[in-house]
Amino acid sequence: MQVETKVKAINCLHFINGQFVESQNKKTFENINPATEEVLGTVAEGGKEEVDFAVRAARRALDGPWKNITLTERSKIIRRIGDLILERQEELARLESLDTGKPFALANKIDIPRAAYNFHFFADYMISVGTDAYQQDDQAIHYAYRRPVGVVGIIKPWNLPLLLLTWKLAPCLAMGNTAVIKPAEWTPMTATVLMEICKEAGVPDGVVNLVHGFGPNSAGGAISEHPDIDAISFIGEPGTGSAIMKSAADSLKKLSYELGGKNPNIIFADSDLDDVIETTIRSSFINQGEVCLCGSRIYVERPIFDEFVQRFVEVAKELKVGDPLEKDTNVGALVSKEHYDRVMSYVEIAQNDGGTIHIGGKRPEGFEKGYFLEPTIITGLDRNSRCVSEEIFGPVVTITPFDMEEEVIMQANDTHYGLSATIWTTDLKKAHRVAHQIEAGIIWVNTWFLRDLRTPFGGMKHSGIGRTGGMHSLDFYSELSNITIKL
Ligand code: NAD
Ligand code: 6OD
């Protein structure tokens, strides 16, 4: 049964200096519902001109009203944004589901409450942090003075649109910066509603600005090369990160990157298999596998390999794939035709490389329209298959047996990525020993995606630059001046 609601898809305009506006040239593009392939509405297509208006507004606000608001007052506004997100939770969850194809139930349970919590967390955290201070014998006192970086460009992916935008925007505002945001072109709706919410919460005009559009030669490119943007917070693919870095080089922008992952999920024979299976179903197929942290490379110690594959396949078969608005859907639609074709190309690679597809690899029966793919479980591929080494970003996992601890560590690290890893074992010494050798920024032991927003979050190697979370976020969004007072 579908979720009952009066919420309708919206047309998306830019939000510049506190006003919703069209593009100067009135250009728009269509927003497609990936579950039905129908047009949800139109989106204003911005470029250099709109980004330039937005940057000017952001610069004026930075040096004007926003600067004069006290830290305590700013914290109250940020808290209020979180409150208003919760007041509109169902509407936002519905829009997120229509845009991305993810189950409404998932958006309503995780994406939107977490988006609100991003603001609530930083509203508290920002007023609790101190600063470095040192007394140097009887000569001097030094202290670090924290100020905003300036105008920040925030460029977003489509998989967790509001959760990830707010993960960056909340600390950005907390530190007194202003922002020019570009949501992913496939998922523009919740970012647009967030602008209304910011205004209602009391964010002064010009502090948050939103320009819709595409990547290179469009709004994304215009943000990365704009000479008056001081920093860029980017989440997306490594290749895009590299392109942004090149465009940002001339103006030497400060960069924070959260990029892709091809994360190992290492299961030792001494682990609690019931727990492993339940969590591994989530870490493989939640959000259609479109989560950068998904453990899409599963390594299982040989004595339990067959049992694991058999039980994992059985549980995966029970997942309901289909209409994202149905209350009990587990796996919705992939975000777009382009992405669906890309994910399917990996299924073909697996077949050509001699892999065994235990389930999935095809559309579910009865779906003529929509970018649906059944959870797909593959074994029998060696480490050179692109299916094992490249990020697929869909409901597709590979399972490989291993015999030795050293061997699985080597395989886990055999990638350019270094975002996250999961280790399953009841042997505490082994857990530490293996965790210390895995090249990943986030390592879970006997769990997955358990988050505490104070902890460092981010990737090594091609999975990112810098860390976010707690003080790490506040450090990125601020500049420190050391002040020395002679005694
Ligand atoms: P993407 O890199 O294709 O696009 C991300 C954003 O960048 C979009 O808004 C796009 O319009 C913009 N863009 C594209 N080219 C650009 C350019 N040359 N200049 C400026 N902007 C440009 O990524 P995606 O397909 O939207 O997202 C999926 C990727 O994001 C996956 O690799 C996933 O792992 C990664 N991701 C990482 C994290 C993390 O926390 N590490 C979180 C979510 C997603
Ligand atoms: O939990 C988070 O803070 C976070 N940034 C999650 C990213 C998920 C990637 O798709």
Side-chain angles (χ1 to χ4, degrees):
M1 200 175 52
Q2 274 210 347
V3 180
E4 283 174 35
T5 177
K6 294 194 177 73
V7 177
K8 294 266 177 310
I10 55 169
N11 291 326
C12 298
L13 295 174
H14 311 301
F15 185 75
I16 300 176
N17 202 25
Q19 305 296 324
F20 283 103
V21 292
E22 297 180 321
S23 289
Q24 287 290 102
N25 60 11
K26 309 271 188 269
K27 254 176 119 173
T28 60
F29 60 95
E30 284 179 343
N31 184 17
I32 306 294
N33 180 340
T36 61
E37 302 182 37
E38 286 164 7
V39 176
L40 286 166
T42 59
V43 188
E45 183 178 337
K48 270 196 166 143
E49 215 162 11
E50 288 72 27
V51 167
D52 197 48
F53 289 143
V55 173
R56 284 166 202 249
R59 181 63 59 189
R60 282 195 305 274
L62 182 74
D63 299 331
W66 199 224
K67 193 175 183 175
N68 299 323
I69 289 179
T70 63
L71 188 80
T72 312
E73 206 38 51
R74 216 159 62 217
S75 162
K76 281 189 190 151
I77 292 173
I78 289 169
R79 170 159 289 283
R80 179 98 183 104
I81 300 174
D83 295 344
L84 292 172
I85 290 175
L86 289 182
E87 280 178 25
R88 296 175 73 170
Q89 176 170 339
E90 203 226 286
E91 171 196 357
L92 287 162
R94 165 97 180 181
L95 295 178
E96 205 74 306
S97 171
L98 290 172
D99 248 357
T100 57
K102 75 175 71 201
F104 165 85
L106 177 69
N108 198 38
K109 185 170 171 210
I110 295 190
D111 294 60
I112 309 305
R114 169 64 197 279
Y117 184 59
N118 286 336
F119 286 104
H120 289 155
F121 170 81
F122 280 107
D124 290 341
Y125 196 82
M126 65 189 276
I127 49 176
S128 69
V129 298
T131 185
D132 290 347
Y134 300 95
Q135 177 162 347
Q136 188 179 14
D137 300 327
D138 55 357
Q139 286 187 68
I141 291 175
H142 308 266
Y143 72 91
Y145 173 68
R146 201 174 277 280
R147 66 182 97 204
V149 177
V151 176
V152 180
I154 302 183
I155 303 179
K156 310 307 308 164
W158 44 260
N159 62 324
L160 309 172
L162 195 66
L163 189 162
L164 292 174
L165 166 55
T166 55
W167 173 236
K168 301 300 178 179
L169 184 61
C172 171
L173 296 181
M175 287 293 94
N177 300 279
T178 58
V180 177
I181 298 157
K182 194 201 89 62
E185 47 273 39
W186 291 333
T187 56
M189 290 199 286
T190 50
T192 307
V193 174
L194 182 67
M195 297 300 99
E196 257 173 51
I197 288 177
C198 286
K199 185 151 180 144
E200 193 184 337
V203 175
D205 291 350
V207 172
V208 289
N209 303 274
L210 176 80
V211 180
H212 293 287
F214 298 89
N217 308 314
S218 181
I223 289 176
S224 12
E225 67 192 24
H226 199 289
D228 206 24
I229 289 184
D230 303 286
I232 292 193
S233 166
F234 170 69
I235 306 183
E237 292 185 0
T240 310
S242 165
I244 290 176
M245 197 178 256
K246 286 179 192 132
S247 320
D250 281 344
S251 45
L252 292 171
K253 295 185 195 338
K254 193 174 182 185
L255 299 175
S256 159
Y257 278 4
E258 288 178 16
L259 309 175
K262 182 73 179 177
N263 311 301
N265 180 7
I266 302 170
I267 302 163
F268 286 100
D270 64 0
S271 55
D272 173 346
L273 212 48
D274 290 341
D275 216 6
V276 173
I277 301 234
E278 193 191 322
T279 306
T280 300
I281 287 285
R282 243 182 349 111
S283 70
S284 303
F285 305 122
I286 196 171
N287 208 50
Q288 303 72 243
E290 295 166 329
V291 177
C292 60
L293 305 163
C294 276
S296 55
R297 278 189 297 146
I298 304 173
Y299 296 101
V300 185
E301 203 168 4
R302 187 131 5 226
I304 59 162
F305 182 79
D306 290 339
E307 184 188 354
F308 173 81
V309 173
Q310 185 233 323
R311 289 182 58 185
F312 186 59
V313 167
E314 260 166 36
V315 181
K317 274 187 191 154
E318 299 300 312
L319 294 174
K320 183 178 163 194
V321 186
D323 183 353
L325 299 176
E326 295 263 343
K327 285 183 180 152
D328 55 349
T329 293
N330 302 113
V331 179
L334 298 187
V335 71
S336 67
K337 162 108 179 58
E338 189 183 322
H339 187 60
Y340 179 80
D341 290 345
R342 183 166 174 262
V343 173
M344 287 303 285
S345 76
Y346 281 98
V347 174
E348 215 178 301
I349 290 172
Q351 279 158 339
N352 293 338
D353 289 350
T356 303
I357 299 183
H358 293 258
I359 54 161
K362 58 179 175 47
R363 274 172 180 280
E365 306 247 317
F367 286 86
E368 307 282 288
K369 292 259 176 205
Y371 311 123
F372 295 98
L373 172 61
E374 288 176 354
T376 302
I377 300 176
I378 307 169
T379 58
L381 292 175
D382 81 31
R383 52 195 267 230
N384 298 319
S385 171
R386 287 177 49 212
C387 236
V388 178
S389 61
E390 296 179 10
E391 184 185 43
I392 301 176
F393 219 53
V396 180
V397 294
T398 60
I399 318 181
T400 309
F402 69 90
D403 296 295
M404 310 283 290
E405 193 178 302
E406 303 74 41
E407 172 200 355
V408 76
I409 292 169
M410 189 271 290
Q411 294 198 51
N413 290 338
D414 184 21
T415 165
H416 289 306
Y417 290 111
L419 187 57
S420 74
T422 306
I423 301 165
W424 293 94
T425 176
T426 46
D427 176 341
L428 200 55
K429 280 191 184 161
K430 190 182 343 182
H432 286 292
R433 192 168 64 231
V434 175
H436 293 183
Q437 294 176 79
I438 298 288
E439 296 162 357
I442 305 146
I443 299 172
W444 284 289
V445 176
N446 298 333
T447 184
W448 179 74
F449 211 168
L450 178 60
R451 295 278 289 114
D452 176 329
L453 303 194
R454 296 167 299 182
T455 58
F457 182 91
M460 48 177 76
K461 295 161 62 176
H462 288 194
S463 287
I465 297 179
R467 295 291 181 272
T468 48
M471 205 56 221
H472 303 277
S473 296
L474 300 192
D475 277 340
F476 176 73
Y477 291 108
S478 54
E479 287 289 1
L480 293 176
S481 302
N482 187 61
I483 298 182
T484 300
I485 301 174
K486 186 167 184 294
L487 291 175

